[in-house]
Amino acid sequence: MTDIVMTESAARGASEPVPFTSRQFRDAMGQFATGVVVISTELDGEIHAMTANAFMSGSLEPPLVLVSVAKTARMHDRLEKAGRFGISVLTKPQLQVSNHFSGRPSADFQPTFSRICDMPVIDGAAVQLAAKLHHAYACGDHTLYVGLVQELQRPGEAEPLLYHAGRYAALESGNN
């Protein structure tokens, strides 16, 4: 039998106040280094995309991926309406792509897309995949979207674009 340990705040229940702010929680979760992806979809012939770092594989059989999207994000309703989405795992040279889709576009830069399974994905991404919406789970102020992967491509290998502690980061090269 496994012992289950609960924090005092968890034992009190979700409706009880917690001894930290949303900002403190966000900063603490930011200590987990992640990759950076662009989530994309298409509605009525118009491509919509956003940068995210809340992405993970969910299952190998069947091949499932998860993305977490804030309920206040424009992408939230678009994913549900489209029922399909693309994921582009960004590389270090694609920092400008990440900035563009996180609300910091540059007037002289326009990202380019290619298509897999008729879904737009970022050109040159380390991994490109197309998924069909399989489940959507409410998760506080976000929704966890689970996609059944229909196609994936790995156009090439490059150093990943990483995010840690509220800023972009890089792998340290060295001997292991």
Side-chain angles (χ1 to χ4, degrees):
M1 182 194 278
T2 303
D3 290 334
I4 298 175
V5 179
M6 296 178 73
T7 64
E8 186 178 330
S9 61
R12 290 191 308 254
S15 61
E16 295 289 323
V18 292
F20 49 84
T21 66
S22 293
R23 181 77 239 178
Q24 289 170 321
F25 184 67
R26 181 181 178 136
D27 290 347
M29 295 301 98
Q31 293 303 304
F32 182 69
T34 67
V36 180
V37 302
V38 169
I39 304 166
S40 53
T41 195
E42 189 168 21
L43 281 172
D44 302 322
E46 188 175 346
I47 296 173
H48 304 279
M50 70 172 273
T51 300
N53 66 346
F55 165 76
M56 63 180 269
S57 63
S59 169
L60 297 176
E61 293 293 331
L64 300 174
V65 293
L66 288 80
V67 292
S68 179
V69 177
K71 291 178 180 176
T72 57
R74 291 179 294 203
M75 181 60 80
H76 185 272
D77 293 336
R78 291 172 176 161
L79 283 178
E80 289 193 16
K81 287 178 186 171
R84 300 178 60 221
F85 58 93
I87 296 289
S88 303
V89 178
L90 300 184
T91 64
K92 189 174 179 181
Q94 293 177 310
L95 175 67
Q96 195 169 24
V97 173
S98 176
N99 285 335
H100 182 85
F101 291 114
S102 66
R104 296 183 308 265
S106 171
D108 61 341
F109 176 74
Q110 185 60 43
T112 57
F113 291 89
S114 55
R115 291 187 172 270
I116 61 170
C117 210
D118 201 32
M119 187 57 40
V121 291
I122 299 295
D123 275 337
V127 176
Q128 303 162 325
L129 64 85
K132 179 180 178 183
L133 187 58
H134 192 60
H135 294 290
Y137 298 103
C139 186
D141 60 359
H142 280 59
T143 297
L144 299 178
Y145 290 103
V146 179
L148 176 63
V149 178
Q150 298 174 300
E151 184 177 343
L152 72 83
Q153 294 181 9
R154 290 187 60 190
E157 300 237 353
E159 190 173 346
L161 182 59
L162 301 179
Y163 200 73
H164 176 258
R167 62 185 177 267
Y168 295 105
L171 291 174
E172 182 178 318
S173 60
N175 297 329
N176 292 333

